[in-house]
Amino acid sequence: MFTSRRARPALLAALTLTLAAALSACGDLHAPDSRTGAAPSPPGASSPSAPGASPYVEPGAGDGAPHYNENNAYRREGDMAPAHEEDARREADRIRPVLERLWKQREWDPATVRAALLRLGYEEERVTKGGKRLGGTLTVTEMSARWKDDHYVTPEGTRVALRVHDDACVSAFVQKSDFEVRANGPYPETGCFEPPYGHRERRGAFS
């Protein structure tokens, strides 16, 4: 019995040394990388990824607002057949010098612009209350009203639309600050005229 009591401390000491050696070996797995000073990642681990895109953002959706494309479909002009686009550009080239001359003369009221364009041989478009076209291709009207200081105001100037084909138009405006003439496809709700952005109309055509 005396001998077995003396053997126990020696056995316990040996076990302790074995356990310490094992723990020391395990610690080597987590030693810092000598190149970076950081502990290597365990196998299969990946670094945190950046937050994914919102599931509601549509491709090409402007500022990323939900349903942007759907909400702004009314602002997308239709496609023009190549030959019809050429026709529209040709008519735009006829209208541009007339509006430029009026702008330089500071004459941009609808009556003056209409008279000048009718002299090019265009005929005013006639439409029934139900929206049926009866003839003519030219529409000349005042600028669109815009919201300012808690009420709507109508800026000085004139908007012009010329329907060259069902899928091709010329749209234009002339006002104190500038003028513009361009060929474009028709819009779903406003025909040849570019629709406004609610209370934030495009600079130039509605300023």
Side-chain angles (χ1 to χ4, degrees), residues 45-183:
S46 59
S47 59
S49 58
S54 166
Y56 302 104
V57 176
E58 304 171 50
D63 59 2
H67 310 297
Y68 177 92
N69 287 333
E70 177 183 346
N71 294 340
N72 288 275
Y74 76 104
R75 295 198 57 80
R76 287 199 294 271
E77 61 185 68
D79 294 330
M80 292 183 281
H84 291 176
E85 183 175 1
E86 288 183 14
D87 291 343
R89 292 186 184 281
R90 189 160 44 248
E91 296 302 329
D93 289 341
R94 295 184 68 210
I95 291 173
R96 188 173 293 106
V98 174
L99 296 191
E100 182 177 12
R101 173 175 54 81
L102 293 175
W103 178 67
K104 290 178 177 179
Q105 294 173 353
R106 303 179 64 82
E107 296 179 315
W108 41 72
D109 62 282
T112 300
V113 174
R114 182 182 297 107
L117 293 179
L118 289 176
R119 284 195 288 272
L120 293 180
Y122 300 125
E123 181 183 351
E124 285 195 84
E125 186 172 51
R126 301 181 305 281
V127 182
T128 67
K129 291 182 179 180
K132 182 179 179 181
R133 299 203 305 269
L134 300 178
T137 58
L138 177 70
T139 301
V140 179
T141 185
E142 63 185 9
M143 302 295 284
S144 289
R146 67 176 183 177
W147 188 257
K148 183 179 181 180
D149 299 331
D150 298 325
H151 66 284
Y152 282 101
V153 296
T154 302
E156 287 185 74
T158 297
R159 295 188 304 156
V160 175
L162 179 70
R163 190 180 299 276
V164 183
H165 296 285
D166 286 341
D167 65 340
C169 303
V170 173
S171 61
F173 69 86
V174 56
Q175 58 184 9
K176 181 178 180 179
S177 59
D178 55 359
F179 71 96
E180 180 183 82
V181 182
R182 69 187 187 93

Side-chain angles (χ1 to χ4, degrees), residues 16-40:
T16 300
L17 289 173
T18 303
L19 180 59
L23 290 175
S24 177
C26 291
D28 291 341
L29 293 176
H30 301 284
D33 189 313
S34 62
R35 292 168 299 175
T36 64

Side-chain angles (χ1 to χ4, degrees), residues 2 11 138:
F2 179 78
L11 180 60
L138 177 70

